[in-house]
């Protein structure tokens, strides 16, 4: 198992071969063994296989080719709708219309998504997360017909790998781990933590191609710009209000 985790790489190109229902079922069974808050299982998973629906979903993910290319698109949703309904049918009033409840359900959904990732990879499948799920969230809600109490949190594209990319870097473990209490970084420690990442050929190329001076600028000025973050953050807050999570 540890060997598998150490070998992880995101796969963005897939063969045309479908993922059989029986295999998908096995992966989902394993995925849904993830721990969840109070065992409430505050998540739902929407499976998209249909080509037409994938086509309508693709622009919500900025037309990243994995959506059309993958055999399966799984949208993981924070879901209090099911649990709230159960409460109401059992003579009690749920008090889960607040931001903490959203975070709780989002944590559940993410734990399941990562379990599904590991299960899929253990069967030789390739997986890519789509962070775009929390950008144009309202459109996804519309397309997948998500009721109040349900918010998409992340998406996985899954298929049989048709590429074998190099593994990408990770920060050195000792720059991430803190013994007992947080040991805030000196400037030197920060520079040394990111040095290897900055010196990698592909990252140097990335900086040059974007006419930037530093890799950090590629993140702040191009990949995850403040103006985009602010826009999508405000859109997500509206979605949370609309879906009933900001009432307190
Ligand atoms: C929450 C999340 C969102 C992501 N969103 C995207 C995405 O929208 N498009 C994409 O190509 N990769 C996406 N990725 C994949 C990351 O780029 C990838 O995990 C990271 O570069 C590390 O590479 P590795 O998974 O191969 O180790 C996402 C990963 C996570 C965990």
């Amino acid at each position: 198992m540890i060997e598998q985790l150490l070998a992880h790489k995101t796969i963005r190109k897939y063969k045309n071969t479908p993922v059989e229902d029986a295999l998908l079922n096995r992966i989902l069974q394993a995925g849904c063994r993830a721990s969840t808050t109070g065992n409430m299982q505050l998540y739902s998973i929407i499976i998209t296989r249909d080509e037409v629906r994938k086509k309508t979903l693709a622009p919500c993910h900025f037309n990243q080719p994995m959506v059309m290319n993958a055999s399966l698109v799984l949208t993981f949703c924070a879901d209090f709708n099911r649990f709230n309904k159960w409460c109401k049918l059992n003579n009690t009033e749920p008090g889960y219309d607040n931001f903490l409840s959203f975070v709780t359900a989002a944590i559940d959904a993410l734990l399941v998504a990562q379990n599904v990732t590991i299960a899929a990879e253990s069967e030789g499948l390739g997986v890519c997360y789509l962070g775009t799920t929390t950008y144009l969230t309202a459109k996804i809600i519309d397309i997948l017909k998500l009721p109040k109490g349900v918010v998409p949190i992340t998406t996985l594209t899954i298929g049989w790998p048709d590429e074998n990319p190099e593994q990408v870097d990770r920060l050195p473990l000792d720059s991430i781990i803190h013994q007992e209490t947080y040991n805030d970084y000196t400037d030197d420690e920060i520079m040394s933590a990111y040095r290897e990442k900055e010196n990698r050929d592909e990252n140097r190329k990335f900086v040059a191609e974007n006419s930037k001076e530093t890799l950090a600028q590629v993140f702040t000025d191009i990949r995850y710009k403040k103006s985009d973050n602010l826009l999508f953050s405000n859109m997500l807050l509206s979605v949370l209000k609309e879906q009933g999570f900001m009432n307190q």
Side-chain angles (χ1 to χ4, degrees):
M1 173 55 98
I2 288 187
E3 288 309 314
Q4 183 203 319
L5 293 175
L6 287 170
H8 161 79
K9 28 179 130 163
T10 288
I11 299 295
R12 297 182 174 84
K13 279 195 185 140
Y14 311 100
K15 292 186 177 135
N16 232 343
T17 327
V19 177
E20 298 299 334
D21 276 340
L23 176 58
L24 173 60
N25 219 39
R26 218 170 106 73
I27 288 166
L28 293 175
Q29 291 282 2
C32 293
R33 271 284 136 204
S35 297
T36 58
T37 312
N39 204 17
M40 288 185 283
Q41 295 191 262
L42 302 169
Y43 61 85
S44 281
I45 306 166
I46 319 289
I47 302 171
T48 308
R49 280 187 188 273
D50 178 60
E51 291 297 310
V52 175
R53 204 175 306 271
K54 275 203 230 163
K55 229 177 222 168
T56 53
L57 215 44
C60 303
H61 296 291
F62 302 107
N63 293 314
Q64 294 191 78
M66 297 81 86
V67 175
M68 290 313 296
N69 189 223
S71 172
L72 290 169
V73 177
L74 303 186
T75 307
F76 292 80
C77 305
D79 183 354
F80 253 110
N81 173 52
R82 185 175 60 241
F83 195 78
N84 284 346
K85 284 192 162 151
W86 179 64
C87 290
K88 286 177 184 163
L89 287 169
N90 285 276
N91 306 326
T92 190
E93 193 48 44
Y96 308 123
D97 55 354
N98 54 70
F99 184 64
L100 178 65
S101 299
F102 165 70
V103 172
T104 303
I107 290 170
D108 281 7
L110 285 172
L111 292 175
V112 172
Q114 183 58 15
N115 248 25
V116 166
T117 297
I118 294 167
E121 289 181 344
S122 78
E123 296 288 333
L125 287 160
V127 171
C128 183
Y129 277 94
L130 300 181
T132 35
T133 313
T134 44
Y135 291 1
L136 302 179
T137 317
K139 276 193 174 174
I140 297 175
I141 287 175
D142 199 36
I143 293 164
L144 300 181
K145 303 187 194 313
L146 306 181
K148 215 169 163 146
V150 185
V151 177
I153 296 297
T154 198
T155 301
L156 291 179
T157 57
I158 304 184
W160 297 105
D162 196 22
E163 65 169 353
N164 187 15
E166 289 282 308
Q167 260 199 325
V168 302
D169 63 286
R170 291 293 187 264
L171 295 176
L173 203 56
D174 65 6
S175 67
I176 290 169
I177 306 300
H178 302 257
Q179 301 293 343
E180 310 298 342
T181 58
Y182 194 95
N183 184 22
D184 204 359
Y185 303 89
T186 62
D187 290 356
D188 277 351
E189 283 165 347
I190 294 288
M191 294 309 280
S192 107
Y194 286 87
R195 189 164 298 128
E196 196 202 321
K197 185 189 277 293
E198 288 169 346
N199 286 336
R200 286 174 78 100
D201 284 348
E202 67 271 22
N203 285 334
R204 282 178 181 278
K205 219 171 114 197
F206 216 11
V207 174
E209 278 170 3
N210 287 293
S211 311
K212 292 289 162 193
E213 289 162 8
T214 69
L215 183 61
Q217 289 173 350
V218 176
F219 283 87
T220 59
D221 299 356
I222 294 167
R223 294 191 68 188
Y224 304 100
K225 277 197 294 197
K226 180 171 182 169
S227 55
D228 291 346
N229 279 2
L230 206 61
L231 173 69
F232 294 130
S233 174
N234 285 331
M235 285 164 69
L236 186 58
L237 283 171
S238 300
V239 163
L240 294 190
K241 268 189 206 139
E242 194 68 30
Q243 295 305 89
F245 282 110
M246 300 295 274
N247 292 346
Q248 281 170 27

